Amino acid sequence: MSAPENTGKAGVLVAAEDAPITDKLAHATLDDVLYNIVHDILIKVHRDEKTARANTAAIKVEKLALNSIDSSSTDQRPDVEVETDSAIYKDGNVTLKGNPLKTTKEILCPKCHLPRLLHPTDGKGGKKPDPSVIYCKKHPYIEKPGYDIYGQTWVAPGPGRGKKKKDMKDKLDPNDPSSPAAIMEGSAKDRPPNVLSFPSATCSKCKRCILVTRLNNHMGSCIGNSGRNASRAAAQKISNSNGGSQNNDNTPPGSQKGTPLPTSRAASPRKRDGDEFDEDAEESDPTNPKKKKLKPTALNKKVILKAKSPAATLKKEKIAKGSSMLNVEQKADDIDGNSTVQVAPKKSVPKGPSPTKKIKLNPSKPPVPSPGGKKGKRDRDMESESSGTLSSPPR
Amino acid sequence: MAARPATPASPKNHKVKDAQPGQPMYGCEHTQKLFNQDQNTTNTSIQHYKSILRSIFDTNPLISQTTKGSDGVIHTTLTPAWLCLQCPGTLTEEDLVRHGSKKQHRFYVDSRNAALYCQMCDDIVWDPTFEELRIQKQVTGTFSTSRKRKHEELPDPIKDNPTFISANTTIASCKANGLRGIYNAGATCYQNVVLQSFLHNPILRNFYLSDGHQCESPHCLSCAMDDMFQDFYASEVTNGYTAANILSGFWISEKKAFENLVTTKEQDAHEFFQFLAEELHERNGDGKKPEIGSEHSCTCIIHQTFYGKLQSTTTCQNCQGVTNQVQSFLDLSLPLENVTPASAKKKKAGGAKATVMTLQDCLDEEYIKSDKCEYRCHNCSSMQQARRQTSIKRLPNVLAIQFKRFEYKQGRHERAAKIDTPVQFPLSLNMLPYTSRARGGEGKENYELARSCTYDLLSVIVHVGEIDTGHYVSYCRVGDQWFAFNDHKVEVAQLSDVLNAKAYLLFYMVRSLS
Ligand SMILES: [Zn+2]
Ligand SMILES: [Zn+2]
Ligand SMILES: [Zn+2]
Ligand SMILES: [Zn+2]
Ligand SMILES: [Zn+2]
Ligand SMILES: [Zn+2]
Ligand SMILES: [Zn+2]
């Protein structure tokens, strides 16, 4: 091996020409490691970006192919030939033309086929989106101090027992920064749509509507009171009345009452806690019959619609979420997620079954391959690990 | 240094991956040409790529990073070398052009990550056929699609768990992504952090989103979980979630064992994790109580996800008789006191810098080192000195780790105290050294086995502040992106935020499932 040069492949960390050989070696090694880190990141980003663009090229040419045929046809893979700048559609297959990184500029969502917004709408790197374009609803996450990933912020939880939160103030609506009381009711319209208020929820027992920040206290006495917990709950009530009120402080320390009890029950192993082993309990043989084989079974065996069962009606507390969800769905231009302001979940509405609302892993569609997606590969390539090596390479 | 194993080609014909809607069939025009020459070329290309993958991922990296230059000089580099797809040569980057023009070989594989370089595109290409093999090999360590456990130590494959692909869900909008905060219902942040870690646990998510839980019981906590998963992954709502049903299920729960938890004061997230796991086991499992310390073999989703097995081996110092005891575990609970950081031993001389304790130090202490104990030996029929060693007999799919940060201090005033020692934890964790197999001396230098014991960090639960005035926050990973959850608020988190956190609970998922 030749003497090390004074730097590695990245050429960023350079040792002096007259440095001792160990110094040069150290620089060269560190520089190579730096190169590898950058190389690995680059490969990852390259893969994400190029795959997204290649898929965009495919989506576009497939759309053209479908549009080129009779609209009454239900054929998903029409036998036509269509060509764009970036891809060819032929015999139902898409092949690329050139490098998608050069031929394709935008990225279409593989699911809704709308263009992806490529920058956040606010905060770090934020830009206003082009209002003339309908984007896919999956947006880059917002990074802005005081706001969450959707650009939302919250008004103070309300008056009463909650302490006034200093750090809450800067997040308040500028119109009434010091008066949490004013925010409680009727002011929802005055607030910017991304300023949310704390919702209320219905107690499953007494059906009263309780502000979420008081829900635990309420249920403690309402449900806890009903049976075995009566006395404890009563005691709780007393202890809660002296300053045990809750708040929704956003800053971690010092805001919530917290007493992680150290009296952890012993479900986790504590090998040093017990002093000795009972020799009667020894030797559990791993070959005993409980070893069930967990063979994966067919995907569609699993996915069963359940909402039609009477179970759905039994779920009295089921949240009525369908209507508001559909509303949002129809507003294609709703790009800010503002439609969520009104959502104080109304849980009091007892609901009949509404099977269609449930998200499902669709068993009928073939799984779309994704990195790491292992379904659908099951039936191919069962060849063993040790075979399949190239003996005579192709020329 | 083409030291690749050469076994006879399998007679089987290889197939190019079928065309998928919304995806091109080939990585570029040139792989397209390669795969459309004749069956023989397709066979040899795929076979050779597989042998390259084996060489990269299953052998010492020295082999794939060693090149023989045109001058005949053998050279091993730290940086990537390029393995020719069309002959057994391994080349430096500088030699690629010459090799290409001399031999008309156009495809080269990056020795670090097996990415395919096309010389005619002058770019890395991501060909679906090759990519599928690469990901299979890199993630699961094998081309075999059978999900059978190869070694006893490895987690059981998840039964019936459909792969969650967002593009594959029927109704969910592109906006529904599972990222929502959960309102603090009054000192319930200890519940929120655990719920978030369940929500972003792919196994539990797949279970609930595929209607894995079906029942008709009123006030069922598992049904409440089901509702919550639906609300997170099927609705476009971005406002915080009100976990009212979880909370009432919690208050209604008959579990006497958890009386400690059932108060409106802030509680221990670890206890809530145990509560939730056991409650969900009872709603989904075999109906038996999850026995502590015994070998309970339930196949419910909670057991499949979290439970593993420990083996304690006690050796009598008098007669050398060995006693084995096996017990199930939901999580590994690691003491932070009396742990010697490995780094402290190495550089005793240095002394200037404070040594930082690592998760591996804590695991070494518990699952590699042995300790002395007294026990009643059956052979000797008397109390004897014994050595005891505990190792992991069966790894779980999701490894839950608790650092014992809250301990009773014995002393004049017996009271709970918080141990605030920082503990470094890695993004990916090799659990092989802590298994019973490694204990037997097996598995060293076995790259494939080590990879199947590799875990990736999934979520981190942090307790901030003092023991009785603190607050819980958490970090969860979605794909490669980390998010910080602070009750109703979700923010993007930097990796450094995550890794610098003083973790209380850690969740790692076995890589072969990711
Ligand atoms: Zn979309
Ligand atoms: Zn009530
Ligand atoms: Zn070659
Ligand atoms: Zn090419
Ligand atoms: Zn249920
Ligand atoms: Zn179970
Ligand atoms: Zn003995």
Side-chain angles (χ1 to χ4, degrees):
Chain A
M1 199 166 154
S2 56
E5 290 153 38
N6 57 345
T7 187
K9 195 162 181 173
V12 175
L13 298 163
V14 187
E17 282 305 332
D18 55 352
I21 184 136
T22 48
D23 222 28
K24 289 186 174 178
L25 198 60
H27 276 80
T29 306
L30 208 58
D31 192 78
D32 275 350
V33 170
L34 191 70
Y35 178 90
N36 282 348
I37 293 170
V38 175
H39 177 81
D40 291 351
I41 294 171
L42 194 79
I43 289 282
K44 228 186 99 7
V45 172
H46 183 277
R47 180 179 193 271
D48 291 350
E49 189 67 22
K50 194 171 181 180
T51 309
R53 303 252 199 124
N55 292 350
T56 298
I59 291 164
K60 280 183 172 171
V61 79
E62 277 175 1
K63 239 197 247 171
L64 273 180
L66 281 176
N67 290 345
S68 70
I69 53 160
D70 184 7
S71 58
S72 64
S73 163
T74 53
D75 189 2
Q76 285 303 299
R77 305 221 138 243
D79 187 20
V80 288
E81 216 178 308
V82 183
E83 195 170 332
T84 65
D85 290 343
S86 52
I88 299 165
Y89 183 95
K90 194 183 169 188
D91 303 330
N93 291 334
V94 177
T95 53
L96 290 172
K97 262 172 72 184
N99 190 333
L101 287 177
K102 291 185 184 127
T103 58
T104 309
K105 290 292 165 236
E106 60 178 352
I107 290 175
L108 298 185
C109 171
K111 199 165 138 190
C112 67
H113 294 184
L114 291 170
R116 278 269 165 84
L117 190 61
L118 298 177
H119 50 79
T121 53
D122 198 3
K124 197 168 137 192
K127 268 195 264 174
K128 285 276 160 268
D130 183 345
S132 65
V133 179
I134 298 172
Y135 292 100
C136 164
K137 286 182 184 171
K138 184 180 158 71
H139 290 188
Y141 301 113
I142 291 168
E143 287 182 70
K144 187 178 177 185
Y147 293 81
D148 77 350
I149 50 170
Y150 304 108
Q152 302 170 144
T153 190
W154 277 263
V155 298
R161 305 193 293 168
K163 286 172 269 172
K164 277 189 186 160
K165 285 295 123 211
K166 201 168 125 252
D167 48 283
M168 215 51 198
K169 283 186 184 163
D170 55 358
K171 287 160 205 151
L172 285 180
D173 183 345
N175 297 329
D176 49 4
S178 56
S179 151
I183 302 162
M184 270 311 280
E185 264 135 79
S187 63
K189 285 171 222 86
D190 309 331
R191 288 200 309 263
N194 64 331
V195 179
L196 311 181
S197 62
F198 284 65
S200 295
T202 304
C203 171
S204 64
K205 182 151 185 253
C206 68
K207 309 292 176 207
R208 276 164 63 193
C209 197
I210 311 291
L211 186 67
V212 62
T213 53
R214 297 196 194 124
L215 204 57
N216 194 31
N217 267 337
H218 171 83
M219 285 183 176
S221 40
C222 184
I223 301 171
N225 218 357
S226 61
R228 62 194 168 90
N229 294 317
S231 59
R232 185 151 17 92
Q236 213 65 60
K237 257 186 176 165
I238 295 157
S239 72
N240 287 338
S241 60
N242 49 31
S245 65
Q246 315 308 331
N247 51 68
N248 286 266
D249 196 338
N250 278 321
T251 31
S255 62
Q256 261 93 3
K257 293 270 172 224
T259 312
L261 294 187
T263 56
S264 240
R265 301 160 331 98
S268 18
R270 279 153 207 242
K271 67 166 186 167
R272 314 228 167 191
D273 290 355
D275 280 326
E276 53 216 84
F277 281 117
D278 181 354
E279 60 176 319
D280 296 328
E282 67 193 27
E283 208 54 10
S284 313
D285 190 346
T287 59
N288 74 39
K290 50 90 228 236
K291 275 173 80 181
K292 285 196 192 101
K293 284 276 174 291
L294 300 179
K295 274 260 185 64
T297 49
L299 177 59
N300 50 8
K301 238 179 152 176
K302 171 90 193 180
V303 185
I304 305 158
L305 286 178
K306 82 169 177 195
K308 286 164 198 122
S309 76
T313 46
L314 275 168
K315 289 186 183 178
K316 293 196 189 75
E317 296 133 20
K318 192 124 187 157
I319 300 163
K321 62 202 167 206
S323 52
S324 67
M325 220 183 94
L326 290 175
N327 288 343
V328 179
E329 198 97 62
Q330 285 151 5
K331 282 192 258 169
D333 54 338
D334 171 25
I335 46 178
D336 297 358
N338 298 340
S339 54
T340 58
V341 181
Q342 79 279 25
V343 279
K346 277 270 190 284
K347 307 204 175 185
S348 50
V349 192
K351 262 189 61 245
S354 61
T356 50
K357 280 196 331 279
K358 287 212 125 191
I359 181 177
K360 284 292 166 322
L361 297 180
N362 188 347
S364 57
K365 269 195 225 167
V368 175
S370 73
K374 287 168 290 285
K375 292 271 165 183
K377 291 171 189 162
R378 202 157 278 156
D379 49 348
R380 56 179 299 286
D381 198 0
M382 296 295 286
E383 123 181 306
S384 90
E385 272 276 59
S386 53
S387 67
T389 311
L390 189 71
S391 54
S392 59
R395 290 274 138 171
Chain B
M1 278 276 296
R4 276 171 235 142
T7 39
S10 125
K12 188 184 172 238
N13 275 345
H14 288 273
K15 258 185 71 197
V16 175
K17 189 171 152 57
D18 290 333
Q20 306 291 321
Q23 284 175 25
M25 194 161 171
Y26 306 100
C28 69
E29 291 150 292
H30 315 105
T31 55
Q32 180 186 355
K33 214 179 267 170
L34 180 77
F35 283 132
N36 283 297
Q37 282 176 34
D38 49 58
Q39 184 63 49
N40 194 39
T41 309
T42 301
N43 284 349
T44 47
S45 299
I46 290 177
Q47 281 162 9
H48 197 191
Y49 187 67
K50 285 169 102 175
S51 82
I52 288 174
L53 288 174
R54 275 190 286 268
S55 150
I56 290 175
F57 293 117
D58 293 345
T59 64
N60 192 309
L62 275 178
I63 293 171
S64 52
Q65 306 238 132
T66 299
T67 55
K68 189 174 180 181
S70 49
D71 45 4
V73 176
I74 287 167
H75 209 74
T76 302
T77 60
L78 280 174
T79 51
W82 297 90
L83 291 84
C84 182
L85 185 72
Q86 291 152 294
C87 78
T90 302
L91 305 146
T92 61
E93 198 171 309
E94 296 73 40
D95 279 343
L96 289 187
V97 175
R98 208 171 23 76
H99 184 86
S101 47
K102 194 168 131 202
K103 302 228 171 140
Q104 304 295 306
H105 295 170
R106 299 302 181 196
F107 301 101
Y108 303 94
V109 182
D110 178 340
S111 67
R112 276 181 70 77
N113 44 41
L116 187 75
Y117 169 77
C118 169
Q119 199 167 57
M120 283 173 289
C121 290
D122 189 21
D123 196 10
I124 303 282
V125 294
W126 306 101
D127 187 89
T129 306
F130 289 130
E131 269 303 274
E132 184 171 72
L133 294 168
R134 188 180 74 98
I135 282 152
Q136 256 174 13
K137 187 72 195 170
Q138 199 170 21
V139 172
T140 66
T142 172
F143 299 122
S144 141
T145 44
S146 142
R147 301 292 301 276
K148 253 199 197 154
R149 205 150 33 91
K150 267 196 180 168
H151 305 288
E152 201 192 3
E153 284 69 32
L154 302 183
D156 275 313
I158 298 293
K159 180 181 55 171
D160 296 348
N161 210 270
T163 314
F164 174 85
I165 298 145
S166 57
N168 209 19
T169 51
T170 41
I171 295 157
S173 124
C174 296
K175 200 169 175 178
N177 55 9
L179 290 164
R180 287 177 73 180
I182 305 174
Y183 282 110
N184 192 320
T188 56
C189 59
Y190 74 100
Q191 301 189 1
N192 292 352
V193 289
V194 174
L195 293 176
Q196 288 289 2
S197 85
F198 275 46
L199 282 161
H200 295 101
N201 179 322
I203 304 173
L204 298 177
R205 178 193 61 196
N206 294 355
F207 172 78
Y208 279 106
L209 292 187
S210 58
D211 271 349
H213 174 75
Q214 302 186 30
C215 86
E216 304 185 3
S217 337
H219 308 300
C220 168
L221 204 57
S222 192
C223 290
M225 287 295 284
D226 195 302
D227 289 346
M228 182 170 69
F229 271 96
Q230 295 298 329
D231 264 31
F232 272 67
Y233 287 97
S235 101
E236 290 195 338
V237 176
T238 53
N239 193 352
Y241 179 74
T242 306
N245 291 353
I246 305 263
L247 202 59
S248 65
F250 169 75
W251 278 102
I252 289 163
S253 169
E254 287 301 315
K255 273 205 152 57
K256 298 266 193 298
F258 288 96
E259 298 216 336
N260 275 335
L261 278 178
V262 185
T263 79
T264 48
K265 281 171 88 185
E266 181 82 45
Q267 301 295 337
D268 182 358
H270 179 240
E271 283 190 40
F272 184 71
F273 166 61
Q274 294 178 323
F275 162 80
L276 200 57
E278 292 181 21
E279 185 78 19
L280 294 179
H281 153 77
E282 278 185 26
R283 295 291 182 173
N284 293 288
D286 54 11
K288 281 186 238 148
K289 291 251 185 266
E291 294 299 329
I292 296 150
S294 80
E295 257 204 288
H296 181 198
S297 61
C298 171
T299 56
C300 80
I301 187 64
I302 293 296
H303 272 85
Q304 285 194 63
T305 306
F306 295 110
Y307 278 82
K309 281 172 190 169
L310 284 176
Q311 174 172 297
S312 296
T313 304
T314 312
T315 312
C316 172
Q317 297 299 83
N318 186 39
C319 68
Q320 304 303 317
V322 174
T323 307
N324 283 316
Q325 194 191 44
V326 176
Q327 52 178 210
S328 310
F329 66 91
L330 171 64
D331 49 31
L332 301 179
S333 204
L334 303 174
L336 294 181
E337 290 179 320
N338 307 318
V339 175
T340 329
S343 52
K345 278 172 267 168
K346 276 181 208 149
K347 43 176 181 182
K348 228 178 244 163
K353 263 190 213 157
T355 48
V356 187
M357 204 197 295
T358 66
L359 168 61
Q360 288 92 333
D361 292 333
C362 301
L363 288 166
D364 284 356
E365 195 72 33
E366 292 292 294
Y367 304 111
I368 290 186
K369 292 181 187 166
S370 57
D371 62 350
K372 283 202 192 104
C373 64
E374 295 236 307
Y375 98 129
R376 221 193 121 68
C377 178
H378 193 66
N379 285 347
C380 307
S381 306
S382 61
M383 291 300 284
Q384 291 293 341
Q385 287 287 319
R387 290 212 78 79
R388 183 173 42 181
Q389 202 275 331
T390 305
S391 57
I392 299 171
K393 189 180 165 70
R394 167 83 52 81
L395 286 162
N397 283 301
V398 174
L399 177 68
I401 291 172
Q402 179 213 14
F403 293 119
K404 290 186 179 167
R405 291 200 179 277
F406 304 107
E407 296 273 48
Y408 266 126
K409 287 273 187 247
Q410 301 283 328
R412 285 172 306 164
H413 309 288
E414 190 175 285
R415 67 174 300 261
K418 184 180 174 190
I419 303 166
D420 224 17
T421 321
V423 184
Q424 283 184 358
F425 48 92
L427 273 179
S428 71
L429 174 66
N430 177 15
M431 287 300 289
L432 180 60
Y434 314 108
T435 59
S436 310
R437 170 178 288 252
R439 185 75 187 159
E442 267 184 273
K444 287 184 187 121
E445 291 294 304
N446 186 338
Y447 291 86
E448 197 180 329
L449 186 62
R451 193 175 38 241
S452 44
C453 296
T454 300
Y455 284 73
D456 292 311
L457 189 61
L458 198 58
S459 56
V460 179
I461 291 177
V462 186
H463 181 266
V464 269
E466 294 303 308
I467 187 159
D468 43 8
T469 57
H471 180 48
Y472 280 102
V473 293
S474 64
Y475 298 97
C476 297
R477 179 171 57 85
V478 178
D480 284 327
Q481 178 65 57
W482 283 90
F483 294 91
F485 296 86
N486 183 358
D487 289 335
H488 55 275
K489 199 159 172 183
V490 189
E491 287 171 282
V492 171
Q494 303 304 318
L495 205 50
S496 55
D497 301 337
V498 179
L499 294 178
N500 285 326
K502 277 186 194 165
Y504 177 46
L505 294 172
L506 296 172
F507 293 91
Y508 281 91
M509 187 164 84
V510 70
R511 182 171 294 174
S512 57
L513 278 177
S514 62

